[in-house]
Amino acid sequence: MRRLLFLVALLLVGTPALADDLDRILKEGAVRAGICLSAEPIGYRDGENVPRGYDVDVAGLMAEALGVRLDLVEVSVATRISDLIEGRIDVVVCNLTATVERARSIDFSFPYLRTGIKLLVPVGSALTRLDDVNASTRIVVHRGTTGEDLVRARGPEAELIYAETPGDALLLIRLGEADGYVEDSLVVDTLARENPEQVLSLPATYTMDAVAFGIRKGNPGFLRWLDIFASTYVSSGRYAETYGRWWGEPPPPIIPMW
């Protein structure tokens, strides 16, 4: 953390004054982080309704490094980008995969997490891979996600069923109303581990995606700062420590730039 604070100080001293969100955040003493709280252990509310999870921890470390208060704003997968663009939040910290399509409308930092898309099926299912789906296959996805895009590309004949949360997707499978659920491994593997008699995470990982902070365009100072923070978060060992606390295993590798 000392190394990170030193790099931040160099950044702030060596960068000309920029009329971007970094200046305002430092002046106001608070950063509004949009976090999804619908998928344990990435982001959720505990039994006392307190926000917990990997993204909550990362957002807290980010605010600490900035030296400002963390104002956690709950967002959804469907609204996280529009909430950012419309100014309700300063930064998305919601398991957001950096894609070239999304990069047309927002900017992404260096990654602070890696994950990949997997397929969850009922125990005993005849479905063994995504390419086996057909017109009678019902696949649950979340609207506007890389999982939805993958199913459209790899199984275009499948019937898509939209769910708001992973819990909703699991319920649809339990009720026999869906044949599978496509989402990143952080969610799929957790559901399979917690419900071994009902669902199975198939072994194939279809993508290797960079999860990054998302901010509004036109904020080069804030983007540069987040790049340094994300890279130093990885190189300092905090990435492995935080990931291990929530998933109990080493994280997927990320090559830091700092």
Side-chain angles (χ1 to χ4, degrees), residues 36-180:
C36 299
L37 298 173
S38 58
E40 187 176 352
I42 303 171
Y44 67 103
R45 292 186 181 275
D46 65 16
E48 298 181 352
N49 205 37
V50 177
R52 303 286 187 193
Y54 180 85
D55 278 345
V56 176
D57 285 355
V58 171
L61 291 171
M62 176 193 66
E64 178 185 341
L66 277 167
V68 301
R69 182 182 73 250
L70 173 65
D71 287 348
L72 189 154
V73 180
E74 184 171 359
V75 298
S76 70
V77 170
T79 67
R80 56 192 172 179
I81 291 179
S82 61
D83 285 338
L84 176 67
I85 293 173
E86 293 168 13
R88 287 187 283 273
I89 56 177
D90 300 316
V91 56
V92 178
V93 193
C94 173
N95 194 29
L96 181 64
T97 300
T99 68
V100 292
E101 181 178 358
R102 289 171 177 165
R104 291 189 228 162
S105 56
I106 66 174
D107 282 338
F108 290 99
S109 71
F110 292 163
Y112 68 88
L113 178 64
R114 279 202 175 274
T115 184
I117 300 296
K118 296 185 74 173
L119 175 60
L120 186 79
V121 299
V123 170
S125 171
L127 191 62
T128 61
R129 58 179 184 169
L130 191 57
D131 294 338
D132 290 337
V133 304
N134 53 47
S136 64
T137 308
R138 303 160 299 173
I139 300 293
V140 184
V141 296
H142 301 304
R143 195 178 299 276
T145 62
T146 51
E148 178 187 10
D149 293 340
L150 181 66
V151 176
R152 290 189 182 280
R154 299 287 291 269
E157 295 181 347
E159 176 188 349
L160 295 185
I161 302 174
Y162 292 98
E164 289 294 322
T165 69
D168 294 337
L170 179 62
L171 180 59
L172 289 167
I173 291 178
R174 283 173 169 170
L175 294 176
E177 297 179 7
D179 303 304

Side-chain angles (χ1 to χ4, degrees), residues 127-258:
L127 191 62
T128 61
R129 58 179 184 169
L130 191 57
D131 294 338
D132 290 337
V133 304
N134 53 47
S136 64
T137 308
R138 303 160 299 173
I139 300 293
V140 184
V141 296
H142 301 304
R143 195 178 299 276
T145 62
T146 51
E148 178 187 10
D149 293 340
L150 181 66
V151 176
R152 290 189 182 280
R154 299 287 291 269
E157 295 181 347
E159 176 188 349
L160 295 185
I161 302 174
Y162 292 98
E164 289 294 322
T165 69
D168 294 337
L170 179 62
L171 180 59
L172 289 167
I173 291 178
R174 283 173 169 170
L175 294 176
E177 297 179 7
D179 303 304
Y181 170 45
V182 170
E183 188 41 90
D184 68 57
S185 60
L186 303 175
V187 174
V188 167
D189 289 345
T190 298
L191 290 176
R193 184 169 57 251
E194 294 179 349
N195 303 275
E197 297 180 357
Q198 298 174 320
V199 289
L200 173 69
S201 173
L202 296 182
T205 301
Y206 294 97
T207 62
M208 182 52 69
D209 302 318
V211 175
F213 299 106
I215 66 170
R216 283 180 292 277
K217 286 188 174 295
N219 292 285
F222 193 24
L223 182 61
R224 180 67 164 167
W225 188 91
L226 286 169
D227 283 343
I228 294 175
F229 171 78
S231 184
T232 310
Y233 167 71
V234 174
S235 65
S236 68
R238 297 301 292 271
Y239 171 48
E241 176 188 336
T242 308
Y243 188 97
R245 182 163 61 249
W246 290 107
W247 283 280
E249 59 187 24
I254 298 175
I255 300 175
M257 299 298 291
W258 291 83

